[in-house]
Amino acid sequence: MIELRGIKKTYRLPTGESLRVLDDVNLIIPKGKIMGVIGRSGAGKSTLVRCVNGLEKPDSGEVFLDGQSLLTVSASALRKARSKMGMIFQNVNLQKRKTVFENVAFPLILQGDDKDAIRKRVMSLLDQVSLTDRVDHFPSQLSGGQQQRVAIARALATAPPVLLCDEMTSALDPETTQQILSLLLSLQRSLNLTVLLITHEMAAIRQVADRVAVMEAGQLIEEGSVLDIFQKPKTETTKALVQSDAHLGLPASLQAVCQAEPVESGYHLLNCTFSGAVAAQPLISECTTRFGVALNILQANLTTVHGSLMGKMCVAIELSDHLPQVVGFLKESGLTVEALGYVNRNDWSLS
Amino acid sequence: MLTGMTGVFLSASWDTILMIVCSTVVAVLLGLPMGVFLWGGALGGCIEKPSLHRLVSALVNIMRSVPFIILMVALIPITRFLVGSSIGTAAAIVPLAIGAIPFFARLAHASLEAVPHSLVEACESMGATPWQMISRVIVSEAMPALARGVTLTAVTLVGYSAMAGTVGGGGLGDVAIRYGYDQFNMPVMLVTIVILVILVQLMQWLGDWWANSLDHS
């Protein structure tokens, strides 16, 4: 388990101003879980992960790895602790002049393991990341995805219980990102790794994380299970992140005419989120038959969050006296409903 | 005007090669550790010793700013002490090597500096000690650039060795001055130049081949 307590970090800019990158961050990463940390560029995520293995020293606060404080230890004890935490970077950071084998063997050579043990360990690691046919290649002869797999094998060489991933898929194409993420997930499951996954891609979080922490301007603004964060995001930032992942959002033409106050005649716009069994029920047609109102699905999307189904849709309900009942029915059926506003009939246009 | 000169050219070429090889070897052996310290000794570096770093850096700058011909003369007492004479090929190697040490140190410094800082951090995160970092990562990754630095040092030393010839250092510079300049023997001067050009071309070609064979990027 990793515990971060009251982490604060301020950078002094060359201009003399100071920039607060981490502002009292508290976070617990449970053993054997994948904790995703998401936020926009400059939110402080990378600084946070670098504080965990001491690449960055926080101004105040404490970092514990299985109860051992990492900020007060000696240089040699810190090195020892670091071998219990593998780290993977966005720009892979492999040694260009070393072969795949030599790169993966490097952490083991550092600890002074004997040759035969290293050979065995490296080959088994390369087998786990399916690169046994690239043993003697140099990094420049590999694709970006293969390079990242070498980096993963290297990070796992010393069999660390903890893996720190700093934007590990951000430089990869979508297909390779999928491969790397599923590799991460399968390794995490088989080795029971505790993972801290830093990313700005909500899709990565959605696929592999158990829990999510959302960061903004150096602060941790929201934390919870992935399903909770995706279904009931509390802060505006999180909502925006979740929506951008689902590619949901009102078309610009509707956004412009959508207002908060009810209108005489027109439509009520709703965002509905649902998960699991609810997805299998024909709720829309039931609304129509039960209340006689027309529901227009503007956008809809069904994805998998941490292995379970989650759907989102944006619907327009024609205004009538039944409106409260319809909304009530949707809520009772297990949907999370968020009112977006009203659109006047005269303004209704999707072009 | 060139009759009977073949032996002179051959032995002068040999002297020049000897001077360059010996002084390059000394410059690399002493300049590389200096370059490593210039890289890692600064504040925030992996072997930080800020005050010593300032001292070494200043020393390198001072030595770099003394014109070679002056350095040669200024080093005569040291040369005499080390070699027993201030004239001849062996004597020329002393100022050549001493002049080339800070030169190569700066080249090595720049080569090490070009290794991405993120790689340094990655190795730090793997628990590398400063010494492991330097010997197994930084110097290793900088090898192609270091090889080019060695070539550049050797080629620069060709020019310096000719200068050493003017004060009795031996080698091709000595031949060019004594026969070509003092006796107005233009053909000897031209042959010397041709030999020097070929020498430099060969060294550069060899150096490029070496650096490229080390480069896997």
Side-chain angles (χ1 to χ4, degrees):
Chain A
M1 185 187 79
I2 303 169
E3 188 178 353
L4 303 171
R5 257 189 234 158
I7 304 286
K8 287 185 186 175
K9 175 87 190 174
T10 306
Y11 285 134
R12 195 156 292 282
L13 300 175
T15 51
E17 296 163 85
S18 55
L19 181 71
R20 177 156 287 184
V21 246
L22 291 176
D23 192 1
D24 195 20
V25 175
N26 296 286
L27 185 64
I28 290 177
I29 302 142
K31 211 180 192 77
K33 297 284 179 202
I34 301 185
M35 166 68 81
V37 175
I38 191 154
R40 299 198 176 90
S41 302
K45 336 180 270 296
S46 281
T47 313
L48 185 70
V49 71
R50 291 157 57 84
C51 281
V52 174
N53 67 353
L55 286 178
E56 202 91 54
K57 236 180 157 48
D59 300 333
S60 66
E62 284 185 284
V63 179
F64 295 98
L65 172 65
D66 290 329
Q68 183 200 11
S69 168
L70 295 183
L71 293 179
T72 50
V73 296
S74 66
S76 66
L78 179 62
R79 276 197 287 276
K80 201 153 192 167
R82 277 170 172 165
S83 68
K84 290 190 218 155
M85 295 184 278
M87 188 163 186
I88 304 166
F89 303 81
Q90 176 176 356
N91 51 345
V92 300
N93 289 332
L94 294 174
Q95 296 188 54
K96 290 195 191 77
R97 294 197 55 248
K98 287 191 163 71
T99 61
V100 167
F101 182 92
E102 291 166 333
N103 266 291
V104 178
F106 189 67
L108 302 168
I109 293 171
L110 290 182
Q111 12 176 68
D113 288 8
D114 80 86
K115 253 187 171 158
D116 290 338
I118 290 180
R119 171 125 220 124
K120 242 173 109 184
R121 176 80 184 134
V122 172
M123 291 317 284
S124 114
L125 284 159
L126 288 177
D127 185 43
Q128 287 181 64
V129 298
S130 326
L131 278 175
T132 37
D133 53 338
R134 294 282 190 275
V135 177
D136 294 318
H137 284 58
F138 287 97
S140 60
Q141 298 168 302
L142 304 178
S143 69
Q146 289 171 328
Q147 288 186 20
Q148 196 56 285
R149 269 146 63 195
V150 177
I152 292 173
R154 180 179 66 176
L156 294 174
T158 53
V162 175
L163 200 55
L164 309 172
C165 311
D166 189 2
E167 300 277 10
M168 66 184 292
T169 58
S170 302
L172 303 172
D173 60 70
E175 202 178 316
T176 315
T177 298
Q178 290 309 317
Q179 291 169 6
I180 295 292
L181 286 175
S182 45
L183 175 66
L184 175 72
L185 197 60
S186 78
L187 288 170
Q188 188 267 337
R189 294 279 184 267
S190 60
L191 305 170
N192 194 32
L193 298 168
T194 305
V195 178
L196 183 56
L197 178 78
I198 306 293
T199 182
H200 66 268
E201 298 163 314
M202 207 58 179
I205 300 272
R206 172 159 55 74
Q207 285 170 63
V208 300
D210 295 293
R211 297 186 72 79
V212 204
V214 184
M215 287 197 69
E216 188 177 53
Q219 288 181 316
L220 211 152
I221 55 171
E222 205 166 339
E223 202 260 332
S225 79
V226 173
L227 219 51
D228 276 355
I229 295 279
F230 269 85
Q231 282 184 2
K232 297 164 199 138
K234 294 190 198 81
T235 61
E236 285 308 314
T237 306
T238 315
K239 280 181 193 162
L241 284 165
V242 169
Q243 285 211 346
S244 72
D245 172 54
H247 304 291
L248 279 187
L250 285 179
S253 57
L254 277 184
Q255 190 99 52
V257 294
C258 184
Q259 55 190 80
E261 303 82 37
V263 291
E264 190 98 347
S265 148
Y267 300 89
H268 183 37
L269 301 183
L270 293 176
N271 245 349
C272 303
T273 310
F274 50 93
S275 67
V278 184
Q281 294 172 32
L283 290 175
I284 300 290
S285 61
E286 209 172 326
C287 274
T288 312
T289 47
R290 211 190 266 204
F291 306 106
V293 295
L295 271 80
N296 184 0
I297 301 176
L298 297 172
Q299 274 177 326
N301 174 300
L302 198 65
T303 49
T304 320
V305 175
H306 198 235
S308 44
L309 272 183
M310 193 196 72
K312 277 185 178 285
M313 62 181 175
C314 182
V315 291
I317 308 174
E318 197 161 12
L319 284 177
S320 70
D321 298 339
H322 296 300
L323 184 65
Q325 285 160 279
V326 175
V327 174
F329 168 72
L330 290 174
K331 281 183 178 164
E332 278 161 32
S333 310
L335 270 63
T336 308
V337 179
E338 180 198 7
L340 294 173
Y342 300 85
V343 174
N344 210 311
R345 190 175 298 277
N346 300 334
D347 297 330
W348 185 253
S349 150
L350 278 173
S351 58
Chain B
M1 293 177 105
L2 287 171
T3 19
M5 291 292 290
T6 320
V8 174
F9 283 128
L10 275 178
S11 92
S13 301
W14 172 245
D15 286 350
T16 296
I17 291 169
L18 200 67
M19 282 192 281
I20 292 164
V21 170
C22 291
S23 45
T24 303
V25 167
V26 174
V28 170
L29 287 179
L30 297 177
L32 183 60
M34 246 167 138
V36 167
F37 185 72
L38 286 172
W39 170 81
L43 197 67
C46 74
I47 43 170
E48 64 175 2
K49 294 263 183 300
S51 32
L52 186 60
H53 183 266
R54 271 194 296 276
L55 187 77
V56 172
S57 186
L59 196 74
V60 166
N61 288 348
I62 291 167
M63 284 175 74
R64 296 265 294 116
S65 54
V66 179
F68 180 64
I69 197 126
I70 310 228
L71 185 76
M72 217 161 39
V73 177
L75 287 175
I76 284 176
I78 297 175
T79 309
R80 276 222 181 94
F81 173 75
L82 288 173
V83 188
S85 157
S86 63
I87 295 171
T89 305
I93 290 171
V94 176
L96 281 173
I98 292 178
I101 291 168
F103 181 73
F104 185 73
R106 277 289 175 221
L107 288 176
H109 176 202
S111 307
L112 302 176
E113 207 67 67
V115 176
H117 184 63
S118 56
L119 180 62
V120 177
E121 286 194 326
C123 297
E124 228 177 287
S125 77
M126 286 181 246
T129 62
W131 173 240
Q132 287 173 323
M133 181 92 74
I134 288 164
S135 60
R136 292 185 179 276
V137 185
I138 302 308
V139 172
S140 158
E141 284 294 292
M143 270 314 279
L146 287 170
R148 292 190 180 96
V150 171
T151 310
L152 183 56
T153 306
V155 168
T156 307
L157 281 170
V158 173
Y160 283 3
S161 77
M163 239 187 272
T166 60
V167 292
L172 289 164
D174 185 35
V175 173
I177 291 288
R178 276 198 287 137
Y179 294 86
Y181 183 73
D182 293 345
Q183 300 175 18
F184 305 105
N185 191 337
M186 206 51 184
V188 170
M189 184 78 96
L190 285 174
V191 171
T192 322
I193 291 170
V194 169
I195 295 175
L196 285 173
V197 168
I198 292 170
L199 195 64
V200 169
Q201 285 292 337
L202 274 174
M203 283 161 56
Q204 191 62 53
W205 177 77
L206 207 67
D208 286 345
W209 172 81
W210 182 32
N212 288 336
S213 73
L214 292 168
D215 201 344
H216 291 293
S217 63

